[in-house]
mmCIF file of all heavy atoms in Angstrom:
data_model
loop_
_atom_site.group_PDB
_atom_site.id
_atom_site.type_symbol
_atom_site.label_atom_id
_atom_site.label_comp_id
_atom_site.label_asym_id
_atom_site.label_seq_id
_atom_site.Cartn_x
_atom_site.Cartn_y
_atom_site.Cartn_z
ATOM 1 N N GLY A 22 0.145 -4.806 -10.184
ATOM 2 C CA GLY A 22 0.835 -5.377 -8.965
ATOM 3 C C GLY A 22 0.613 -4.419 -7.869
ATOM 4 O O GLY A 22 -0.062 -3.463 -7.928
ATOM 5 N N ILE A 23 1.309 -4.721 -6.746
ATOM 6 C CA ILE A 23 1.225 -3.946 -5.484
ATOM 7 C C ILE A 23 2.623 -3.314 -5.139
ATOM 8 O O ILE A 23 3.559 -4.093 -5.193
ATOM 9 C CB ILE A 23 0.767 -4.820 -4.296
ATOM 10 C CG1 ILE A 23 -0.723 -5.319 -4.612
ATOM 11 C CG2 ILE A 23 0.694 -3.983 -3.008
ATOM 12 C CD1 ILE A 23 -1.867 -4.311 -4.780
ATOM 13 N N ALA A 24 2.625 -2.106 -4.809
ATOM 14 C CA ALA A 24 3.910 -1.432 -4.528
ATOM 15 C C ALA A 24 4.366 -1.710 -3.095
ATOM 16 O O ALA A 24 3.568 -1.971 -2.218
ATOM 17 C CB ALA A 24 3.807 0.079 -4.750
ATOM 18 N N ASN A 25 5.686 -1.563 -2.895
ATOM 19 C CA ASN A 25 6.244 -1.714 -1.519
ATOM 20 C C ASN A 25 6.120 -0.378 -0.717
ATOM 21 O O ASN A 25 6.126 -0.394 0.475
ATOM 22 C CB ASN A 25 7.698 -2.109 -1.523
ATOM 23 C CG ASN A 25 7.847 -3.558 -2.102
ATOM 24 O OD1 ASN A 25 7.057 -4.486 -1.741
ATOM 25 N ND2 ASN A 25 8.815 -3.793 -3.056
ATOM 26 N N SER A 26 6.115 0.670 -1.515
ATOM 27 C CA SER A 26 6.081 2.054 -0.862
ATOM 28 C C SER A 26 5.393 3.012 -1.786
ATOM 29 O O SER A 26 5.296 2.795 -3.007
ATOM 30 C CB SER A 26 7.451 2.494 -0.499
ATOM 31 O OG SER A 26 8.272 2.518 -1.638
ATOM 32 N N PRO A 27 5.035 4.181 -1.279
ATOM 33 C CA PRO A 27 4.387 5.274 -2.137
ATOM 34 C C PRO A 27 5.324 5.761 -3.193
ATOM 35 O O PRO A 27 6.566 5.537 -3.026
ATOM 36 C CB PRO A 27 3.997 6.311 -1.099
ATOM 37 C CG PRO A 27 4.010 5.730 0.197
ATOM 38 C CD PRO A 27 5.068 4.593 0.104
ATOM 39 N N PRO A 28 4.841 6.470 -4.216
ATOM 40 C CA PRO A 28 5.809 6.977 -5.207
ATOM 41 C C PRO A 28 6.768 7.938 -4.602
ATOM 42 O O PRO A 28 6.455 8.672 -3.673
ATOM 43 C CB PRO A 28 4.869 7.719 -6.171
ATOM 44 C CG PRO A 28 3.429 7.151 -5.911
ATOM 45 C CD PRO A 28 3.455 6.768 -4.448
ATOM 46 N N ASP A 29 8.025 7.953 -5.093
ATOM 47 C CA ASP A 29 9.017 8.906 -4.608
ATOM 48 C C ASP A 29 8.802 10.301 -5.202
ATOM 49 O O ASP A 29 7.887 10.467 -6.071
ATOM 50 C CB ASP A 29 10.428 8.407 -4.776
ATOM 51 C CG ASP A 29 10.753 8.144 -6.255
ATOM 52 O OD1 ASP A 29 10.181 8.867 -7.103
ATOM 53 O OD2 ASP A 29 11.593 7.279 -6.467
ATOM 54 N N ARG A 30 9.610 11.196 -4.840
ATOM 55 C CA ARG A 30 9.378 12.594 -5.154
ATOM 56 C C ARG A 30 9.220 12.776 -6.739
ATOM 57 O O ARG A 30 8.384 13.611 -7.173
ATOM 58 C CB ARG A 30 10.482 13.483 -4.603
ATOM 59 C CG ARG A 30 10.303 15.001 -4.775
ATOM 60 C CD ARG A 30 11.405 15.808 -4.083
ATOM 61 N NE ARG A 30 11.129 17.217 -4.244
ATOM 62 C CZ ARG A 30 11.616 17.937 -5.214
ATOM 63 N NH1 ARG A 30 12.314 17.356 -6.253
ATOM 64 N NH2 ARG A 30 11.326 19.231 -5.283
ATOM 65 N N ASP A 31 10.126 12.224 -7.513
ATOM 66 C CA ASP A 31 10.214 12.443 -8.899
ATOM 67 C C ASP A 31 9.609 11.344 -9.743
ATOM 68 O O ASP A 31 9.862 11.247 -10.974
ATOM 69 C CB ASP A 31 11.674 12.628 -9.329
ATOM 70 C CG ASP A 31 12.280 13.861 -8.625
ATOM 71 O OD1 ASP A 31 11.619 14.935 -8.614
ATOM 72 O OD2 ASP A 31 13.468 13.761 -8.118
ATOM 73 N N PHE A 32 8.763 10.564 -9.100
ATOM 74 C CA PHE A 32 8.075 9.451 -9.888
ATOM 75 C C PHE A 32 7.258 9.953 -11.059
ATOM 76 O O PHE A 32 6.521 10.928 -11.039
ATOM 77 C CB PHE A 32 7.096 8.646 -8.949
ATOM 78 C CG PHE A 32 6.249 7.603 -9.621
ATOM 79 C CD1 PHE A 32 6.882 6.393 -9.836
ATOM 80 C CD2 PHE A 32 4.998 7.845 -10.020
ATOM 81 C CE1 PHE A 32 6.051 5.371 -10.519
ATOM 82 C CE2 PHE A 32 4.268 6.952 -10.587
ATOM 83 C CZ PHE A 32 4.792 5.662 -10.898
ATOM 84 N N VAL A 33 7.430 9.259 -12.199
ATOM 85 C CA VAL A 33 6.688 9.559 -13.435
ATOM 86 C C VAL A 33 6.009 8.369 -13.843
ATOM 87 O O VAL A 33 6.567 7.234 -13.957
ATOM 88 C CB VAL A 33 7.628 10.076 -14.506
ATOM 89 C CG1 VAL A 33 6.884 10.349 -15.811
ATOM 90 C CG2 VAL A 33 8.365 11.410 -14.052
ATOM 91 N N GLY A 34 4.644 8.500 -14.213
ATOM 92 C CA GLY A 34 3.883 7.329 -14.672
ATOM 93 C C GLY A 34 2.721 7.142 -13.792
ATOM 94 O O GLY A 34 2.196 8.025 -13.070
ATOM 95 N N THR A 35 2.164 5.846 -13.828
ATOM 96 C CA THR A 35 0.938 5.505 -13.176
ATOM 97 C C THR A 35 1.298 4.699 -11.835
ATOM 98 O O THR A 35 1.847 3.679 -11.904
ATOM 99 C CB THR A 35 0.004 4.646 -14.003
ATOM 100 O OG1 THR A 35 -0.227 5.369 -15.277
ATOM 101 C CG2 THR A 35 -1.346 4.416 -13.359
ATOM 102 N N PRO A 36 0.947 5.203 -10.693
ATOM 103 C CA PRO A 36 1.422 4.501 -9.461
ATOM 104 C C PRO A 36 0.590 3.305 -9.177
ATOM 105 O O PRO A 36 -0.503 3.159 -9.571
ATOM 106 C CB PRO A 36 1.119 5.635 -8.370
ATOM 107 C CG PRO A 36 -0.044 6.476 -8.928
ATOM 108 C CD PRO A 36 0.203 6.441 -10.386
ATOM 109 N N ARG A 37 1.262 2.396 -8.418
ATOM 110 C CA ARG A 37 0.585 1.212 -7.844
ATOM 111 C C ARG A 37 0.209 1.525 -6.452
ATOM 112 O O ARG A 37 0.778 2.349 -5.799
ATOM 113 C CB ARG A 37 1.417 0.030 -7.943
ATOM 114 C CG ARG A 37 1.874 -0.329 -9.407
ATOM 115 C CD ARG A 37 2.723 -1.629 -9.427
ATOM 116 N NE ARG A 37 3.139 -1.940 -10.780
ATOM 117 C CZ ARG A 37 3.739 -3.022 -11.168
ATOM 118 N NH1 ARG A 37 4.037 -3.934 -10.208
ATOM 119 N NH2 ARG A 37 4.095 -3.288 -12.394
ATOM 120 N N LEU A 38 -0.806 0.780 -5.929
ATOM 121 C CA LEU A 38 -1.155 0.931 -4.579
ATOM 122 C C LEU A 38 -0.310 0.069 -3.669
ATOM 123 O O LEU A 38 0.221 -0.949 -4.136
ATOM 124 C CB LEU A 38 -2.689 0.469 -4.339
ATOM 125 C CG LEU A 38 -3.729 1.191 -5.247
ATOM 126 C CD1 LEU A 38 -5.058 0.636 -4.951
ATOM 127 C CD2 LEU A 38 -3.697 2.681 -5.023
ATOM 128 N N THR A 39 -0.110 0.509 -2.400
ATOM 129 C CA THR A 39 0.547 -0.361 -1.429
ATOM 130 C C THR A 39 -0.548 -1.146 -0.677
ATOM 131 O O THR A 39 -1.752 -0.968 -0.805
ATOM 132 C CB THR A 39 1.254 0.500 -0.459
ATOM 133 O OG1 THR A 39 0.309 1.287 0.320
ATOM 134 C CG2 THR A 39 2.348 1.427 -1.051
ATOM 135 N N VAL A 40 -0.143 -2.152 0.073
ATOM 136 C CA VAL A 40 -1.003 -2.955 0.891
ATOM 137 C C VAL A 40 -1.870 -2.031 1.775
ATOM 138 O O VAL A 40 -3.053 -2.225 2.012
ATOM 139 C CB VAL A 40 -0.283 -4.039 1.738
ATOM 140 C CG1 VAL A 40 -1.201 -4.689 2.766
ATOM 141 C CG2 VAL A 40 0.246 -5.103 0.729
ATOM 142 N N GLU A 41 -1.187 -1.049 2.396
ATOM 143 C CA GLU A 41 -1.782 -0.184 3.357
ATOM 144 C C GLU A 41 -2.855 0.672 2.673
ATOM 145 O O GLU A 41 -3.871 0.954 3.232
ATOM 146 C CB GLU A 41 -0.708 0.732 3.961
ATOM 147 C CG GLU A 41 0.208 0.048 4.970
ATOM 148 C CD GLU A 41 1.304 -0.779 4.185
ATOM 149 O OE1 GLU A 41 1.546 -0.473 2.972
ATOM 150 O OE2 GLU A 41 2.002 -1.546 4.830
ATOM 151 N N MET A 42 -2.656 1.060 1.412
ATOM 152 C CA MET A 42 -3.629 1.860 0.696
ATOM 153 C C MET A 42 -4.834 0.984 0.399
ATOM 154 O O MET A 42 -5.970 1.374 0.514
ATOM 155 C CB MET A 42 -3.075 2.304 -0.634
ATOM 156 C CG MET A 42 -1.972 3.451 -0.556
ATOM 157 S SD MET A 42 -1.247 3.853 -2.095
ATOM 158 C CE MET A 42 0.062 4.895 -1.605
ATOM 159 N N VAL A 43 -4.680 -0.280 -0.048
ATOM 160 C CA VAL A 43 -5.773 -1.129 -0.320
ATOM 161 C C VAL A 43 -6.558 -1.417 0.929
ATOM 162 O O VAL A 43 -7.823 -1.487 0.964
ATOM 163 C CB VAL A 43 -5.225 -2.434 -0.924
ATOM 164 C CG1 VAL A 43 -6.369 -3.369 -1.251
ATOM 165 C CG2 VAL A 43 -4.482 -2.192 -2.267
ATOM 166 N N ALA A 44 -5.810 -1.554 2.072
ATOM 167 C CA ALA A 44 -6.539 -1.826 3.372
ATOM 168 C C ALA A 44 -7.435 -0.658 3.683
ATOM 169 O O ALA A 44 -8.584 -0.809 4.141
ATOM 170 C CB ALA A 44 -5.507 -2.029 4.383
ATOM 171 N N ARG A 45 -7.013 0.580 3.485
ATOM 172 C CA ARG A 45 -7.810 1.737 3.723
ATOM 173 C C ARG A 45 -9.062 1.729 2.777
ATOM 174 O O ARG A 45 -10.208 2.180 3.258
ATOM 175 C CB ARG A 45 -7.049 3.025 3.584
ATOM 176 C CG ARG A 45 -7.819 4.249 4.007
ATOM 177 C CD ARG A 45 -7.089 5.553 3.782
ATOM 178 N NE ARG A 45 -6.058 5.834 4.807
ATOM 179 C CZ ARG A 45 -5.308 6.981 4.796
ATOM 180 N NH1 ARG A 45 -5.554 7.932 3.862
ATOM 181 N NH2 ARG A 45 -4.418 7.187 5.705
ATOM 182 N N LEU A 46 -8.927 1.371 1.516
ATOM 183 C CA LEU A 46 -10.007 1.321 0.621
ATOM 184 C C LEU A 46 -11.027 0.212 1.044
ATOM 185 O O LEU A 46 -12.160 0.297 0.633
ATOM 186 C CB LEU A 46 -9.508 1.027 -0.855
ATOM 187 C CG LEU A 46 -8.738 2.163 -1.495
ATOM 188 C CD1 LEU A 46 -8.288 1.709 -2.830
ATOM 189 C CD2 LEU A 46 -9.564 3.389 -1.684
ATOM 190 N N GLN A 47 -10.563 -0.760 1.784
ATOM 191 C CA GLN A 47 -11.437 -1.792 2.269
ATOM 192 C C GLN A 47 -12.152 -1.385 3.607
ATOM 193 O O GLN A 47 -13.034 -2.053 4.034
ATOM 194 C CB GLN A 47 -10.660 -3.119 2.578
ATOM 195 C CG GLN A 47 -10.380 -3.949 1.335
ATOM 196 C CD GLN A 47 -11.570 -4.781 0.944
ATOM 197 O OE1 GLN A 47 -12.706 -4.239 0.839
ATOM 198 N NE2 GLN A 47 -11.367 -6.079 0.661
ATOM 199 N N GLY A 48 -11.784 -0.328 4.154
ATOM 200 C CA GLY A 48 -12.370 0.217 5.363
ATOM 201 C C GLY A 48 -11.702 -0.128 6.700
ATOM 202 O O GLY A 48 -12.170 0.049 7.704
ATOM 203 N N PHE A 49 -10.483 -0.749 6.520
ATOM 204 C CA PHE A 49 -9.698 -1.065 7.741
ATOM 205 C C PHE A 49 -9.124 0.258 8.335
ATOM 206 O O PHE A 49 -8.665 1.139 7.584
ATOM 207 C CB PHE A 49 -8.530 -1.963 7.313
ATOM 208 C CG PHE A 49 -8.829 -3.425 7.211
ATOM 209 C CD1 PHE A 49 -9.171 -3.981 5.976
ATOM 210 C CD2 PHE A 49 -8.929 -4.245 8.375
ATOM 211 C CE1 PHE A 49 -9.488 -5.339 5.885
ATOM 212 C CE2 PHE A 49 -9.269 -5.599 8.208
ATOM 213 C CZ PHE A 49 -9.499 -6.164 7.003
ATOM 214 N N PRO A 50 -8.999 0.306 9.633
ATOM 215 C CA PRO A 50 -8.275 1.474 10.231
ATOM 216 C C PRO A 50 -6.784 1.347 9.904
ATOM 217 O O PRO A 50 -6.306 0.275 9.709
ATOM 218 C CB PRO A 50 -8.544 1.256 11.749
ATOM 219 C CG PRO A 50 -8.850 -0.238 11.831
ATOM 220 C CD PRO A 50 -9.501 -0.721 10.612
ATOM 221 N N ASP A 51 -6.113 2.508 9.888
ATOM 222 C CA ASP A 51 -4.694 2.552 9.462
ATOM 223 C C ASP A 51 -3.818 1.784 10.448
ATOM 224 O O ASP A 51 -2.724 1.379 10.086
ATOM 225 C CB ASP A 51 -4.257 3.997 9.382
ATOM 226 C CG ASP A 51 -4.834 4.709 8.170
ATOM 227 O OD1 ASP A 51 -5.387 4.014 7.298
ATOM 228 O OD2 ASP A 51 -4.684 5.907 8.081
ATOM 229 N N ASP A 52 -4.226 1.611 11.700
ATOM 230 C CA ASP A 52 -3.336 0.932 12.692
ATOM 231 C C ASP A 52 -3.563 -0.582 12.692
ATOM 232 O O ASP A 52 -2.925 -1.299 13.466
ATOM 233 C CB ASP A 52 -3.600 1.502 14.034
ATOM 234 C CG ASP A 52 -4.981 1.319 14.547
ATOM 235 O OD1 ASP A 52 -5.857 0.705 13.848
ATOM 236 O OD2 ASP A 52 -5.359 1.695 15.743
ATOM 237 N N TRP A 53 -4.373 -1.149 11.750
ATOM 238 C CA TRP A 53 -4.509 -2.600 11.656
ATOM 239 C C TRP A 53 -3.334 -3.149 10.802
ATOM 240 O O TRP A 53 -3.231 -2.783 9.631
ATOM 241 C CB TRP A 53 -5.846 -2.950 11.134
ATOM 242 C CG TRP A 53 -6.238 -4.349 11.208
ATOM 243 C CD1 TRP A 53 -6.145 -5.358 10.278
ATOM 244 C CD2 TRP A 53 -6.833 -5.041 12.368
ATOM 245 N NE1 TRP A 53 -6.625 -6.510 10.770
ATOM 246 C CE2 TRP A 53 -7.002 -6.266 11.997
ATOM 247 C CE3 TRP A 53 -7.104 -4.591 13.617
ATOM 248 C CZ2 TRP A 53 -7.485 -7.327 12.941
ATOM 249 C CZ3 TRP A 53 -7.663 -5.540 14.526
ATOM 250 C CH2 TRP A 53 -7.854 -6.832 14.190
ATOM 251 N N LYS A 54 -2.530 -4.018 11.360
ATOM 252 C CA LYS A 54 -1.330 -4.501 10.721
ATOM 253 C C LYS A 54 -1.650 -5.890 10.151
ATOM 254 O O LYS A 54 -2.335 -6.678 10.756
ATOM 255 C CB LYS A 54 -0.138 -4.561 11.623
ATOM 256 C CG LYS A 54 0.145 -3.243 12.273
ATOM 257 C CD LYS A 54 0.378 -2.069 11.230
ATOM 258 C CE LYS A 54 0.585 -0.728 11.935
ATOM 259 N NZ LYS A 54 0.703 0.371 10.916
ATOM 260 N N PHE A 55 -1.050 -6.217 9.001
ATOM 261 C CA PHE A 55 -1.211 -7.513 8.356
ATOM 262 C C PHE A 55 0.061 -8.361 8.366
ATOM 263 O O PHE A 55 1.159 -7.846 8.010
ATOM 264 C CB PHE A 55 -1.701 -7.311 6.913
ATOM 265 C CG PHE A 55 -3.100 -6.676 6.923
ATOM 266 C CD1 PHE A 55 -3.193 -5.245 6.903
ATOM 267 C CD2 PHE A 55 -4.170 -7.427 6.897
ATOM 268 C CE1 PHE A 55 -4.403 -4.662 6.771
ATOM 269 C CE2 PHE A 55 -5.517 -6.814 6.836
ATOM 270 C CZ PHE A 55 -5.555 -5.490 6.864
ATOM 271 N N ALA A 56 0.002 -9.510 8.767
ATOM 272 C CA ALA A 56 1.210 -10.362 8.915
ATOM 273 C C ALA A 56 1.582 -10.910 7.590
ATOM 274 O O ALA A 56 0.773 -11.106 6.641
ATOM 275 C CB ALA A 56 0.901 -11.545 9.911
ATOM 276 N N GLY A 57 2.884 -11.264 7.434
ATOM 277 C CA GLY A 57 3.356 -11.887 6.257
ATOM 278 C C GLY A 57 3.945 -10.776 5.277
ATOM 279 O O GLY A 57 3.788 -9.586 5.477
ATOM 280 N N ARG A 58 4.568 -11.325 4.180
ATOM 281 C CA ARG A 58 5.073 -10.435 3.142
ATOM 282 C C ARG A 58 3.971 -9.992 2.282
ATOM 283 O O ARG A 58 2.774 -10.181 2.521
ATOM 284 C CB ARG A 58 6.073 -11.228 2.353
ATOM 285 C CG ARG A 58 7.193 -11.803 3.263
ATOM 286 C CD ARG A 58 8.318 -12.440 2.464
ATOM 287 N NE ARG A 58 9.073 -11.498 1.662
ATOM 288 C CZ ARG A 58 10.287 -11.628 1.188
ATOM 289 N NH1 ARG A 58 10.914 -12.742 1.434
ATOM 290 N NH2 ARG A 58 10.864 -10.761 0.373
ATOM 291 N N LYS A 59 4.265 -9.264 1.288
ATOM 292 C CA LYS A 59 3.386 -8.469 0.458
ATOM 293 C C LYS A 59 2.260 -9.303 -0.169
ATOM 294 O O LYS A 59 1.089 -8.944 -0.001
ATOM 295 C CB LYS A 59 4.088 -7.690 -0.643
ATOM 296 C CG LYS A 59 3.178 -6.746 -1.509
ATOM 297 C CD LYS A 59 4.023 -5.931 -2.393
ATOM 298 C CE LYS A 59 4.819 -6.715 -3.451
ATOM 299 N NZ LYS A 59 5.567 -5.767 -4.357
ATOM 300 N N THR A 60 2.546 -10.487 -0.727
ATOM 301 C CA THR A 60 1.576 -11.246 -1.336
ATOM 302 C C THR A 60 0.465 -11.831 -0.443
ATOM 303 O O THR A 60 -0.776 -11.579 -0.582
ATOM 304 C CB THR A 60 2.197 -12.381 -2.180
ATOM 305 O OG1 THR A 60 2.992 -11.779 -3.217
ATOM 306 C CG2 THR A 60 1.100 -13.242 -2.824
ATOM 307 N N PRO A 61 0.925 -12.475 0.674
ATOM 308 C CA PRO A 61 -0.152 -12.945 1.707
ATOM 309 C C PRO A 61 -0.854 -11.868 2.285
ATOM 310 O O PRO A 61 -2.054 -11.871 2.585
ATOM 311 C CB PRO A 61 0.646 -13.888 2.645
ATOM 312 C CG PRO A 61 2.085 -13.404 2.463
ATOM 313 C CD PRO A 61 2.289 -12.950 1.073
#
């Protein structure tokens, strides 16, 4: 799944990516915003 936010300070386990992280992996600039909720 996709996370709503980065792991908090005491997170234990395997983290999920946020939409913003996936966008950076796609080569989008960080200031490019995506409309809609998490799934769209």
Side-chain angles (χ1 to χ4, degrees):
I23 299 297
N25 293 315
S26 58
D29 60 29
R30 185 174 184 274
D31 296 317
F32 174 81
V33 176
T35 306
R37 299 181 182 189
L38 304 180
T39 63
V40 169
E41 293 77 16
M42 291 176 188
V43 180
R45 188 185 281 184
L46 291 176
Q47 279 281 48
F49 279 96
D51 288 348
D52 61 358
W53 192 261
K54 305 304 178 186
F55 296 88
R58 302 187 66 160
K59 184 169 64 176
T60 296

